[in-house]
Amino acid sequence: MAVDYAVIVLYLAGMLAMGWWGMRRATSKSDFLVAGRRLGPAMYSGTMAAIVLGGASTIGGVGLGYRYGLSGAWMVFTIGLGLLALSVFFSARIARLKVYTVSEMLDLRYGGSAGLISGVVMWAYTLMLAVTSTLAYATIFDVLFGLDRALAIILGGAIVVAYSTLGGMWSITLTDMVQFVVKTIGVLLLLLPIAVIKAGGFAEMKAQLPDDYFAPLGIGGQTVFTYVLIYSFGMLIGQDIWQRVFTARGDRVARLGGTAAGTYCLVYALAGAVIGTAAKVLYPHLGSPDDAFATIVKDALPVGVRGLVLAAALSAVMSTSSGALIACATVANNDIWARIRGVVRRQSPATDAPHGPDAGHGGAGEPRDEVRGNRVFILLMGLAVIVIALALNNVVEALTVAYNLLVGGLLVPILGGLLWKRGTGAGALASVAVGGLTVVGLMLSLGVLANEPIYYGLLASLVAYVAVSLATRPTDAAVLDAWRARLAGRPDAAGAEPPVASGPSATTSPAGR
């Protein structure tokens, strides 16, 4: 394994070097949080594919293929479908908003009345997503070096926190592009064909396995439907995904680059399922389906290639982990802490200074102060993620909680704001509260992995949004005019980076935004 170890160590050192390089480019808030909004199509599509295809898509996708056959592709397939829908129908409008967070979008659309509570829900989602990615380090480093679980989490988490803190989105973009290349070579070009050949080809695989392994819906129609609700819709509204959309250089890059990334996800989904199916032929009695990836890598691949493929798995985990981490820190700083700080300042008689995260810096020191503040939050959130990961064991349950909270609480007010002009801030608040509480209550009573929480949570959220919106006054015309101007990308509306509202009762005038 010495050669494989060398490959992994060089890869990890390269990630830290990219972080140091990215630090030199992150000189403003825009650079640090959204890579200056200037990524071209190649880098945009590569980094977008990297963040959505994490450890669950790689190790978990192979495990689903081991258990269900080709229909095990559905989980990752629905991720790709969600990314395609986001890119084709919404990405151009999202990119034109020139914001940093989903909650800022809700503030713009509803007049500053829904940002804080939506920020808390989005923060909980991104935090749990970062935790699940960090937990995956334990599996990979155990396979690589036989490390203790706690040490593996600390080592992997520390590397991601280091390069994310150094350069923000620029570091993450550079490392994700490398990770995309490594995943493509390791999983698609090496592991996939070698696994199929080792299993005797597709004819031998069909002869060895039950017909259900090759049925399109062998995993179950209800399971596929639940995947669509959780993952496809989750792709439409997640802060980690939107923050990547904000990095696009323009509408065309966001649309075409995202479409390419979504198509790549579909191919990756099928590849994982095929690899898992081949592993079932080669190792029919594994203790856990999630062991299929590590087992086939260790036994079927030659020296050096094995290290590259394990680096590909590590790449998948690190890309999702770093993307979730910067999203979590961005929400914590810009949507929660900035609003709390603004409320405190308004209540203090000692100052009449402007409120919000962009206040009080001024002049040439402003970009440096903004970068420093966001860098501190990435470090703090990274340490919190590592501590929580050390205390948790079940990756699937943590991921399910994250997506149930996201989709059950925020899908309706976000899509409603984009598609229905009669939706109001009161309706959005009711939707977030009712949907989120319904999901949490049903998860507590029926179990985290039950399907019912997301079904009834979404229904309750929709009913509350429509009913309260129709029962309250329409959104102020000035707010809607400013919203439409921003969506259209008009210079008078989107020429400057918008400050975050300083509280849930922020002004609704365009000038106040």
Side-chain angles (χ1 to χ4, degrees):
M1 293 287 289
V3 175
D4 297 322
Y5 290 163
V7 171
I8 298 299
V9 170
L10 286 173
Y11 169 77
L12 295 176
M15 294 301 98
L16 292 174
M18 289 287 185
W20 183 263
W21 187 34
M23 181 176 67
R24 302 180 63 182
R25 305 195 65 171
T27 57
S28 69
K29 179 179 179 180
S30 179
D31 285 333
F32 193 82
L33 295 183
V34 291
R37 306 188 196 274
R38 56 179 184 267
L39 295 191
M43 186 166 284
Y44 176 85
S45 59
T47 56
M48 180 64 86
I51 188 178
V52 300
L53 296 173
S57 300
T58 303
I59 299 172
V62 172
L64 288 172
Y66 183 88
R67 184 175 180 183
Y68 298 107
L70 298 186
S71 67
W74 273 109
M75 184 187 77
V76 184
F77 205 82
T78 55
I79 291 174
L81 291 177
L83 185 53
L84 284 172
L86 173 71
S87 302
V88 172
F89 298 112
F90 300 108
S91 63
R93 283 186 284 178
I94 292 171
R96 289 188 209 119
L97 291 175
K98 302 296 184 186
V99 296
Y100 292 106
T101 69
V102 174
S103 294
E104 287 183 52
M105 167 264 171
L106 292 173
D107 273 347
L108 286 169
R109 170 60 181 82
Y110 296 113
S113 59
L116 181 59
I117 186 172
S118 66
V120 172
V121 174
M122 188 64 76
W123 173 79
Y125 155 72
T126 54
L127 180 70
M128 293 307 295
L129 184 61
V131 168
T132 59
S133 301
T134 304
L135 282 169
Y137 295 128
T139 300
I140 296 174
F141 280 107
D142 177 56
V143 173
L144 292 175
F145 307 117
L147 292 182
D148 174 74
R149 175 183 178 275
L151 183 58
I153 289 173
I154 293 172
L155 175 61
I159 293 171
V160 170
V161 171
Y163 74 68
S164 300
T165 303
L166 285 173
M169 186 59 82
W170 266 121
S171 292
I172 293 171
T173 297
L174 295 170
T175 54
D176 278 1
M177 197 63 200
V178 174
Q179 289 158 358
F180 170 75
V181 173
V182 172
K183 276 193 291 192
T184 301
I185 295 173
V187 175
L188 297 185
L189 302 183
L190 294 176
L191 183 57
L192 174 61
I194 291 174
V196 173
I197 292 170
K198 289 281 186 180
F202 284 102
E204 183 64 19
M205 290 162 62
K206 293 195 71 172
Q208 293 284 337
L209 297 172
D211 290 341
D212 286 349
Y213 267 71
F214 301 92
L217 294 177
I219 198 171
Q222 186 181 25
T223 300
V224 174
F225 180 66
T226 303
Y227 284 160
V228 170
L229 287 183
I230 294 177
Y231 297 115
S232 294
F233 287 139
M235 289 295 105
L236 297 180
I237 59 175
Q239 169 67 26
D240 52 324
I241 309 302
W242 277 41
Q243 200 157 343
R244 293 308 174 96
V245 175
F246 299 151
T247 66
R249 190 168 58 203
D251 297 358
R252 183 178 176 83
V253 170
R255 186 183 299 110
L256 297 183
T259 301
T263 304
Y264 179 90
C265 291
L266 303 184
V267 175
Y268 200 88
L270 187 58
V274 171
I275 292 168
T277 305
K280 183 66 175 178
V281 173
L282 294 169
Y283 319 103
H285 304 298
L286 291 179
S288 168
D290 285 341
D291 293 336
F293 180 86
T295 302
I296 196 168
V297 168
K298 288 179 68 175
D299 292 350
L301 299 183
V303 173
V305 173
R306 180 170 50 202
L308 182 60
V309 174
L310 288 173
L314 194 58
S315 297
V317 175
M318 295 179 80
S319 57
T320 300
S321 181
S322 58
L325 177 59
I326 193 172
C328 178
T330 303
V331 171
N333 187 18
N334 293 273
D335 291 336
I336 300 176
W337 171 243
R339 287 176 165 85
I340 294 173
R341 186 176 61 182
V343 170
V344 172
R345 285 180 175 177
R346 285 200 305 276
Q347 293 174 347
S348 172
T351 179
D352 292 320
H355 312 302
D358 299 318
H361 299 303
E366 182 176 356
R368 181 180 300 175
D369 289 342
E370 289 177 341
V371 170
R372 185 187 301 120
N374 283 288
R375 185 173 280 137
V376 168
F377 266 86
I378 289 182
L379 180 60
L380 293 175
M381 292 300 103
L383 293 175
V385 164
I386 292 173
V387 170
I388 295 171
L390 291 171
L392 292 180
N393 286 311
N394 196 311
V395 178
V396 175
E397 288 191 359
L399 190 64
T400 302
V401 169
Y403 273 97
N404 279 354
L405 284 173
L406 174 70
V407 176
L410 292 179
L411 177 69
V412 171
I414 291 173
L415 292 189
L418 289 169
L419 301 174
W420 190 40
K421 66 179 181 180
R422 186 59 180 83
T424 66
L429 283 171
S431 178
V432 174
V434 171
L437 290 174
T438 301
V439 165
V440 171
L442 289 175
M443 283 194 296
L444 289 174
S445 61
L446 300 177
V448 170
L449 299 180
N451 291 324
E452 288 80 5
I454 191 62
Y455 296 164
Y456 293 112
L458 266 177
L459 180 61
S461 179
L462 178 61
V463 171
Y465 181 71
V466 173
V468 175
S469 291
L470 293 176
T472 53
R473 294 180 59 185
T475 303
D476 186 84
V479 173
L480 287 179
D481 288 343
W483 165 254
R484 295 189 189 101
R486 185 70 68 88
L487 278 179
R490 293 207 290 269
D492 59 326
E497 299 288 359
V500 181
S502 58
S505 57
T507 179
T508 59
S509 69
R513 294 301 314 145

